[in-house]
Amino acid sequence: MTEFLHILNTPEFQSKDTLKQQLHQLGIKSGDALIVHSSLKSMGWIAGGAQAVVEALLETVTTEGTLVMPSQSADNSDPVYWMNPPIPENWHQPFRDYAPAYDPHLSELRGMGKIAECFHRHPETIRSPHPAHSFIASGKQATDWMSEQPIDDSFGKTSPLAKMMESDVKILLIGTGFDSCTALHYAEFAQETRTTSPQGAAVKINGQRVWQTYDCIDMDSDRFPELVKDYPGEIATGTLGQAEVKLVEMRPLVEFGIEWLQKHPAPNEK
């Protein structure tokens, strides 16, 4: 029924080729580096669905460019914080004892959408090693950018985002808002007043499955839309499929975000 409604709400035939035309109209070209957040549902009916979107993105930036998507697996975290859904309190320790260790090939993505899930399955996709806050990438810089991601610095100075900050990367939001903009977490990690909470994840260390505890910086992506409203730089808009899209240079936005958060600390940081 959902598929039928998508067809009804799509006025013209859409395919990988029409998506590539729209990407070119947005100014995206061979050699570009993109970090993409997406909602397939917002794009309407497309011949080939998520696969068509992934192929359109890869063929547009080509192997000279780099395509990146967040691939977070929030299920690999301490269940004491779980709310959607929670599990019984007496299951918390058994979960810590028996949940499978993070595996870049097998660990599921949660809340990333069908396009990211499809990209994860691509044979040339590389996934970074963080058990909860990983990224996936393909292309020229993928191996370098995905090579390390310390468990206690998932979005900070030794993360894939830090390496992306050294390059000309564009953020592409397809039918999503800036509350989904993972790159802005780098701005939170750069704050001297940041706070942390105890966290944990199942990982492999020297081939053995263990529950590793660590301090995770407290993050609040609900503030990102407010931050972006004050951003003086250019945010291009357009369409991909039937979805509204936003395109912005990553480095200037994140650098502004660092300053904005310094001037607008969260209530618990004042």
Side-chain angles (χ1 to χ4, degrees):
M1 184 64 179
T2 301
E3 188 77 2
F4 180 67
L5 290 175
H6 282 175
I7 295 172
L8 285 179
N9 294 327
T10 306
E12 297 180 357
F13 180 80
Q14 299 185 142
S15 67
K16 178 174 71 175
D17 287 345
T18 63
L19 296 178
K20 289 170 68 174
Q21 291 172 7
Q22 290 176 309
L23 287 167
H24 286 302
Q25 290 169 359
L26 285 165
I28 299 169
K29 59 187 185 303
S30 174
D32 278 351
L34 287 180
I35 178 169
V36 176
H37 302 265
S38 58
S39 162
L40 181 63
K41 181 180 179 180
S42 71
M43 299 179 73
W45 187 87
I46 301 165
Q51 180 181 343
V53 180
V54 170
E55 291 186 3
L57 289 164
L58 288 171
E59 291 175 17
T60 299
V61 302
T62 75
T63 55
E64 290 301 305
T66 308
L67 179 64
V68 182
M69 298 184 194
S71 55
Q72 297 177 37
S73 43
D75 286 344
N76 194 355
S77 62
D78 197 313
V80 71
Y81 301 110
W82 291 6
M83 298 299 291
N84 189 26
I87 61 174
E89 187 173 349
N90 63 342
W91 291 8
H92 289 183
Q93 190 56 46
F95 176 86
R96 299 182 189 111
D97 293 338
Y98 293 105
Y102 171 73
D103 184 296
H105 305 290
L106 295 179
S107 294
E108 295 182 0
L109 286 58
R110 178 166 181 176
M112 299 292 102
K114 291 184 178 180
I115 294 170
E117 290 172 358
C118 180
F119 185 40
H120 178 219
R121 295 191 296 269
H122 194 286
E124 295 178 4
T125 294
I126 298 170
R127 192 174 185 183
S128 66
H130 198 280
H133 300 150
S134 65
F135 294 88
I136 44 180
S138 179
K140 191 172 184 178
Q141 303 294 333
T143 300
D144 178 34
W145 290 354
M146 300 297 109
S147 62
E148 59 181 336
Q149 192 175 14
I151 194 168
D152 58 354
D153 193 38
S154 54
F155 300 130
K157 293 182 178 179
T158 51
S159 72
L161 287 178
K163 292 181 177 179
M164 287 185 254
M165 285 289 287
E166 297 175 357
S167 300
D168 295 326
V169 178
K170 299 174 182 177
I171 299 167
L172 180 64
L173 304 176
I174 306 172
T176 66
F178 277 97
D179 54 339
S180 298
C181 184
T182 304
L184 284 171
H185 287 308
Y186 183 91
E188 294 181 304
F189 273 60
Q191 301 302 306
E192 293 182 0
T193 58
R194 61 186 182 269
T195 60
T196 64
S197 297
Q199 186 53 271
V203 299
K204 281 189 177 180
I205 298 178
N206 298 324
Q208 298 296 314
R209 183 266 181 213
V210 299
W211 181 259
Q212 184 173 3
T213 58
Y214 62 101
D215 290 327
C216 183
I217 289 176
D218 296 321
M219 296 172 278
D220 184 7
S221 59
D222 289 343
R223 303 191 71 205
F224 294 169
E226 180 187 3
L227 181 161
V228 172
K229 283 183 181 179
D230 292 339
Y231 178 59
E234 180 181 0
I235 300 177
T237 59
T239 303
L240 191 61
Q242 300 300 307
E244 294 182 0
V245 302
K246 298 178 180 66
L247 184 68
V248 62
E249 296 285 346
M250 174 178 161
R251 189 190 304 116
L253 176 64
V254 173
E255 289 176 344
F256 173 80
I258 293 171
E259 296 181 2
W260 190 93
L261 289 173
Q262 289 172 347
K263 297 175 181 176
H264 303 83
N268 63 345
E269 296 175 358
K270 293 179 181 179

